[in-house]
């Protein structure tokens, strides 16, 4: 069962507004509206616990504010496939209210903090500003694009390309919310986590990581991952960040002073 901690003091720099700003520049009123929607009671969940299980009825949208989680599916014999990593600023299943039951589980890979946002509250937020509504749609479409890329990754790429491609993706996604330092970032995933996400065995993952270290593509030490030459790694693993859609035209359009019904 999740435990409660003090509600966060969210402001214009909260992770959701920061993530949405990669699609469009939010006005001060819009940023305040996003802050207010996300200004719920922060809950904490230990690692290796489920936020919601497959078969559970969805009751809210989860906003990850700290830590790493994942979407996953399991077979009857217990084998698990991680189908997505969820990072700070990620909304889990914006439109899950249309489902009677979850078709996958969401679990904490590390201790996480999250906020539950009611479906009505999120709908009001989207309806109150066309810009915010479009940004939320953008997030959903990016999630679908990432899923397509993961399918290609696990179906066609080599082990080194799969793992290196994932490292590049995580770098860009974490950079969106200010969680990188240079070309490095905190890396809490285990070799089993990587295996379950890439369709490889833990032994194969270990061998591939050793190869990447030996050739200087990565430095992985004490749960920190550094990419000494990002361009080299991208070229080596055939990584193209276009599917993350981080350079949308809307970011170059200055917002109006206030939009539609925000603040009215």
């Amino acid at each position: 069962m999740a435990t409660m901690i003090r509600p966060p003091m969210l402001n214009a720099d909260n992770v959701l507004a920061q993530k949405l700003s990669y699609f469009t520049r939010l006005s001060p009123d819009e940023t305040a509206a996003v802050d207010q929607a996300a200004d719920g009671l922060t809950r904490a969940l230990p690692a290796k616990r489920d936020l919601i299980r497959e078969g559970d009825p969805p009751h809210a949208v989860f906003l990850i504010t700290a830590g790493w989680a994942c979407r996953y599916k399991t077979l009857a014999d217990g084998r698990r496939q991680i189908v997505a990593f969820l990072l700070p600023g990620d909304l889990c299943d914006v439109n899950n209210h249309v489902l009677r039951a979850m078709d996958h589980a969401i679990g904490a890979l590390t201790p996480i903090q999250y906020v539950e946002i009611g479906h009505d509250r999120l709908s009001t937020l989207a309806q109150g500003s066309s810009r915010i509504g479009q940004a939320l749609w953008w997030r959903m479409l990016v999630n679908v694009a990432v899923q397509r890329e993961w399918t290609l990754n696990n179906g066609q790429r080599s082990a080194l390309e799969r793992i290196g491609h994932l490292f590049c993706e995580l770098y860009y996604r974490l950079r969106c919310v200010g969680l990188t330092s240079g070309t490095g970032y905190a890396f809490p995933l285990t070799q089993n986590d990587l295996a379950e996400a890439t369709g490889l065995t833990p032994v194969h993952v270990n061998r591939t990581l050793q190869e990447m270290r030996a050739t200087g593509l990565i430095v992985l030490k004490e749960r920190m991952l550094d990419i000494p030459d990002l361009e080299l790694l991208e070229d080596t693993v055939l990584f193209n960040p276009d599917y993350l859609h981080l350079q949308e035209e809307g970011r170059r359009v200055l917002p109006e002073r206030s939009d539609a019904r925000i603040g009215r």
Side-chain angles (χ1 to χ4, degrees), residues 6-8 10 35-43 114-116 121:
R6 189 175 64 179
L10 296 177
D35 285 353
Q36 185 177 12
D39 191 12
L41 183 66
T42 296
R43 301 166 185 264
Y114 66 96
V115 174
E116 292 187 5
R121 196 172 195 183

Side-chain angles (χ1 to χ4, degrees), residues 25-194:
R25 295 186 185 184
L26 300 178
S27 70
D29 285 348
E30 289 165 334
T31 298
V34 173
D35 285 353
Q36 185 177 12
D39 191 12
L41 183 66
T42 296
R43 301 166 185 264
L45 189 70
K48 303 184 186 299
R49 297 283 295 277
D50 284 335
L51 192 57
I52 191 167
R53 296 189 177 108
E54 185 171 355
D56 287 351
H59 61 277
V61 176
F62 303 110
L63 168 64
I64 306 296
T65 59
W68 290 38
C70 69
R71 290 192 184 95
Y72 71 90
K73 297 275 291 185
T74 55
L75 296 175
D77 60 7
R79 284 176 291 168
R80 183 171 82 159
Q81 178 72 40
I82 292 176
V83 298
F85 289 119
L86 300 168
L87 308 175
D90 284 343
L91 287 166
C92 306
D93 304 313
V94 172
N95 286 332
N96 63 14
H97 63 285
V98 303
L99 304 175
R100 291 186 178 181
M102 294 290 291
D103 58 17
H104 64 276
I106 298 175
L109 294 169
T110 70
I112 64 170
Q113 294 179 17
Y114 66 96
V115 174
E116 292 187 5
I117 304 177
H119 298 117
D120 290 345
R121 196 172 195 183
L122 201 61
S123 178
T124 298
L125 177 66
Q127 292 173 8
S129 163
S130 60
R131 199 190 316 275
I132 294 175
Q134 289 175 346
L136 290 171
W137 272 109
W138 165 75
R139 280 306 314 156
M140 291 173 57
L141 293 173
V142 168
N143 289 341
V144 174
V146 170
Q147 206 70 65
R148 286 193 291 265
E149 198 69 24
W150 277 43
T151 300
L152 175 63
N153 214 33
N154 292 354
Q156 296 297 326
R157 291 190 172 104
S158 68
L160 188 148
E161 290 169 345
R162 293 183 200 186
I163 294 175
H165 195 281
L166 177 60
F167 288 170
C168 291
E169 177 187 301
L170 292 171
Y171 165 75
Y172 279 98
R173 291 175 59 194
L174 289 166
R175 192 178 70 173
C176 287
V177 288
L179 292 177
T180 57
S181 177
T183 53
Y185 52 90
F187 188 79
L189 300 180
T190 67
Q191 291 184 15
N192 280 337
D193 295 333
L194 288 174

